[in-house]
Amino acid sequence: MALVPYEEVNQRSFEEESARRFTLVQVAKGTAELRGPCPRCGTAIQIPLVSGTYKSFRLWRRNGVRPTPPPGEVHEETVICTCEEDHPGRPEGKIGCGAYWCLEITTS
Ligand SMILES: [Zn+2]
Ligand SMILES: [Zn+2]
């Protein structure tokens, strides 16, 4: 399978797809990890979210069905693809395919 070329892009569909397919896993007290497939290149990636002050995290997506967030504070987390594949055209020292998007996370 040919790899998509490296490109720093953001598409609305990335946010929708990752909100549907990513899970937020509590890995330790105050530390959670976003896990799921990159909506651009499809590689499973893990994004650590570190915070000593939040007790719990919840991945949440504003949409037509759920226009208001669950109780708690909503944070926007920018997620950048961190895959280790060799995407053509990737600048030296960079990782991922270049895709980035935003997820909304509620914390309490
Ligand atoms: Zn990739
Ligand atoms: Zn990617």
Side-chain angles (χ1 to χ4, degrees), residues 38-43 45 81-83 85 87 96-99 101:
C38 169
R40 181 160 186 259
C41 71
T43 307
I45 53 172
C81 176
T82 56
C83 79
E85 294 170 307
H87 288 287
C97 68
W101 63 98

Side-chain angles (χ1 to χ4, degrees), residues 10 26-27 30 32 50-51 53 59 66-67 74 81 83 96 107:
N10 169 251
Q26 190 99 31
V27 288
V50 182
S51 169
T53 53
L59 184 59
R66 289 192 295 172
V74 178
C81 176
C83 79
T107 58

Side-chain angles (χ1 to χ4, degrees), residues 2-7 40-41 86-88 97:
L3 290 171
V4 291
Y6 179 89
E7 199 188 346
R40 181 160 186 259
C41 71
D86 213 3
H87 288 287
C97 68

Side-chain angles (χ1 to χ4, degrees), residues 79-96:
V79 180
I80 298 166
C81 176
T82 56
C83 79
E84 287 171 4
E85 294 170 307
D86 213 3
H87 288 287
R90 182 162 60 195
E92 195 79 27
K94 292 251 189 178
I95 52 165

Side-chain angles (χ1 to χ4, degrees), residues 14-81:
F14 292 171
E15 295 167 16
E16 283 163 12
E17 190 176 331
S18 63
R20 248 184 313 137
R21 301 186 65 187
F22 271 61
T23 51
L24 192 54
V25 184
Q26 190 99 31
V27 288
K29 198 163 183 270
T31 309
E33 217 171 61
L34 278 166
R35 295 178 188 168
C38 169
R40 181 160 186 259
C41 71
T43 307
I45 53 172
Q46 299 176 357
I47 315 287
L49 303 175
V50 182
S51 169
T53 53
Y54 307 132
K55 286 197 276 318
S56 64
F57 301 84
R58 192 143 45 135
L59 184 59
W60 170 78
R61 180 84 211 142
R62 195 187 301 267
N63 60 28
V65 184
R66 289 192 295 172
T68 48
E73 241 184 284
V74 178
H75 295 263
E76 288 218 331
E77 193 71 38
T78 303
V79 180
I80 298 166
C81 176

